[in-house]
Amino acid sequence: MPYLDYVAGSPVDDRVVEEMMKYFSHPGNPSSVHSLGLEARNVVEEARNKVSGLINADSSEIVFTSGATEANNLAIIGYAMRNRRKGNHIVVSAIEHISVINSAKFLMKNGFEVDYAPVDRFGKVRLDELESLLRDDTILVSVQHANPEIGTVQEIREIREVVKAALHVDATASLGKIEVDVEKMGADMVTISSNDIYGPRGVGALYLRKGVRVNPIILGGGQESGMRGGTENVPGIAGFGKAAEITKKEWRKESERLKEMRDRLIDGLLEIEETFLNGHPEDRLPNNASVRFSYIEGESILLSMDMEGIQASTGSACTSKTLQPSHVLMAIGLKHEEAHGSVVFSLGRWSRMEDVNYVLEKLPPIIERLRMMSPLYMKKKSGGD
Ligand code: PMP
């Protein structure tokens, strides 16, 4: 069954599962002073080394969290609360993940001012507009590295040059697909997640550059150097470490393979009439093909594809319950009906060219059938507007 929804969830690599199995029933708490506790502590610290090694950070700069959502919350809310005396203005890009947008909204309710940096029609942050939003009391700017819905990759280095305030980068979608190097980015905080590199779900991390101070948002017994309370998820963290180790070795080759499949998929999809690419044509994730089909609804395309065994998505699985058009697609200037006709195909480690070929064989008749049921399309066909 062609699975093209890696952006919503990825299988866990067998090598990772094997590593995690060693620790599922291990009783050691990393905070205990006895030898089983020490064993668990070593597992966590070894994983911290591997995760930091993947993004060119120091292991002391990694805080393990329950995922990217928590890491984004910690970065935005934790930084703003800690550094409130320096100013109360923050800027986030208009196409951030909902966990960043909602953290910013939370801050707004708590006396902060928030501005949204607009993007162009390809989803690139407009540098000049971003610059014009920056003020003396701006303490934090948050811009994602790549967008999981439209695939667009941002120029973080260029953004860093104009931002004097702290810079947070959500690299959840880009890790393992393109280079994520915290030094080259010049970021102060970077969010990453385990499942996006074929580790377990419910584990992530925030890179906190040395000297950057945040308030913890999960309060407990001072774990993670006081940055995140709660007993560590030892098997999950061990799995994240293993996934990071594998990704470090394999991502470049893997990305080349993904790119080849993505390009064939995009070329094939765009052969269907009135089909358009969402996001940037070149600066995009190697595993993302996001397109919109005029006159029909993404949801009906998904259901029809599902009956053929193809799984994809209409956008972010995290916000699919709201039935609102995606804020990302609205921010790149799509009309409601265009946003609703969008489908995201995302590829990953187990995708094969056969999957792509299968989609390209099955999808055109689906689109044709759905359009035949679309009054708008039929009106156009018969020479109406
Ligand atoms: N940021 C981005 C860019 C994402 O795509 C996601 C979802 N995978 C998240 C944050 C949140 O991740 P999680 O649901 O694992 O917390």
Side-chain angles (χ1 to χ4, degrees):
M1 293 243 291
Y3 182 75
L4 290 95
D5 199 10
Y6 276 79
V7 69
S10 296
V12 179
D13 195 298
D14 284 345
R15 295 167 286 183
V16 171
V17 174
E18 198 183 315
E19 183 70 12
M20 291 175 72
M21 289 310 280
K22 297 184 199 160
Y23 307 109
F24 266 117
S25 56
H26 189 289
N29 181 323
S31 299
S32 299
V33 291
H34 51 61
S35 49
L36 282 177
L38 199 62
E39 258 177 46
R41 165 63 47 211
N42 288 340
V43 171
V44 169
E45 295 316 317
E46 201 183 309
R48 203 185 304 280
N49 279 332
K50 290 175 180 165
V51 169
S52 61
L54 179 60
I55 60 172
N56 192 22
D58 189 83
S59 63
S60 64
E61 297 172 311
I62 299 294
V63 178
F64 285 120
T65 64
S66 66
T69 295
E70 189 193 317
N72 282 341
N73 279 230
L74 177 58
I76 311 283
I77 299 173
Y79 188 87
M81 291 302 191
R82 176 69 183 241
N83 295 280
R84 196 168 205 163
R85 271 174 301 124
K86 295 184 196 159
N88 78 334
H89 180 237
I90 73 165
V91 178
V92 306
S93 97
I95 60 168
E96 290 305 303
H97 185 262
I98 198 70
S99 54
V100 169
I101 302 273
N102 281 342
S103 296
K105 283 186 182 160
F106 171 85
L107 289 176
M108 223 166 9
K109 286 192 195 126
N110 284 278
F112 285 86
E113 283 181 65
V114 177
D115 276 307
Y116 296 92
V119 295
D120 64 18
R121 69 193 172 97
F122 298 118
K124 287 262 191 184
V125 169
R126 293 172 179 274
L127 262 190
D128 49 345
E129 301 247 12
L130 170 64
E131 209 168 354
S132 72
L133 291 172
L134 301 175
R135 318 188 316 209
D136 288 343
D137 62 345
T138 307
I139 55 170
L140 174 65
V141 172
S142 179
V143 177
Q144 66 196 184
H145 192 195
N147 186 283
E149 232 173 294
I150 56 172
T152 302
V153 177
Q154 304 294 341
E155 306 302 331
I156 299 299
R157 194 65 234 180
E158 285 177 18
I159 291 170
R160 172 76 280 180
E161 314 252 286
V162 303
V163 172
K164 305 269 181 305
L167 178 64
H168 167 246
V169 175
D170 179 355
T172 305
S174 54
L175 189 68
K177 308 295 182 303
I178 55 178
E179 184 174 55
V180 176
D181 179 318
V182 295
E183 287 307 324
K184 286 189 189 162
M185 281 177 170
D188 297 297
M189 296 180 278
V190 177
T191 292
I192 55 175
S193 161
S194 152
N195 188 233
D196 293 76
I197 56 167
Y198 317 107
R201 285 175 212 196
V203 191
L206 181 66
Y207 157 80
L208 266 181
R209 178 180 293 283
K210 271 193 195 94
V212 175
R213 300 268 174 262
V214 299
N215 278 356
I217 55 166
I218 306 280
L219 305 175
Q223 289 89 346
E224 294 297 290
S225 307
M227 289 298 106
R228 203 265 181 185
T231 304
E232 297 85 343
N233 170 5
V234 178
I237 290 171
F240 189 12
K242 185 70 185 176
E245 181 185 67
I246 296 168
T247 298
K248 189 170 180 186
K249 285 197 205 111
E250 300 182 358
W251 78 266
R252 281 178 203 276
K253 217 166 148 208
E254 196 167 301
S255 287
E256 284 308 311
R257 199 181 69 84
L258 289 171
K259 212 183 278 176
E260 231 173 86
M261 289 187 285
R262 177 205 65 184
D263 289 344
R264 180 169 167 78
L265 182 57
I266 290 178
D267 289 348
L269 291 171
L270 295 185
E271 274 175 27
I272 302 173
E273 74 168 307
E274 302 247 22
T275 302
F276 307 93
L277 182 70
N278 292 325
H280 200 281
E282 284 108 36
D283 294 342
R284 65 184 302 123
L285 289 171
N287 67 328
N288 174 295
S290 172
V291 290
R292 56 185 191 276
F293 302 96
S294 304
Y295 310 112
I296 45 179
E297 289 273 322
E299 303 292 339
S300 39
I301 304 170
L302 288 195
L303 291 176
S304 302
M305 286 198 302
D306 194 27
M307 286 195 280
E308 298 286 357
I310 302 165
Q311 347 265 291
S313 68
T314 52
S316 173
C318 319
T319 41
S320 65
K321 285 192 187 69
T322 64
L323 292 181
Q324 294 290 329
S326 145
H327 69 284
V328 175
L329 298 177
M330 299 312 284
I332 59 171
L334 298 193
K335 298 195 192 99
H336 275 232
E337 60 272 23
E338 291 173 319
H340 278 304
S342 289
V343 177
V344 183
F345 299 90
S346 47
L347 306 160
R349 191 170 281 168
W350 293 273
S351 300
R352 296 285 172 266
M353 200 55 106
E354 292 91 276
D355 302 333
V356 170
N357 292 337
Y358 184 79
V359 172
L360 294 177
E361 179 199 325
K362 295 290 178 188
L363 192 55
I366 291 175
I367 301 296
E368 197 179 329
R369 184 169 50 79
L370 292 174
R371 281 185 175 157
M372 288 304 163
M373 293 190 276
S374 154
L376 281 175
Y377 183 70
M378 294 317 283
K379 192 170 160 194
K380 184 198 169 242
K381 271 282 202 206
S382 62
D385 296 335

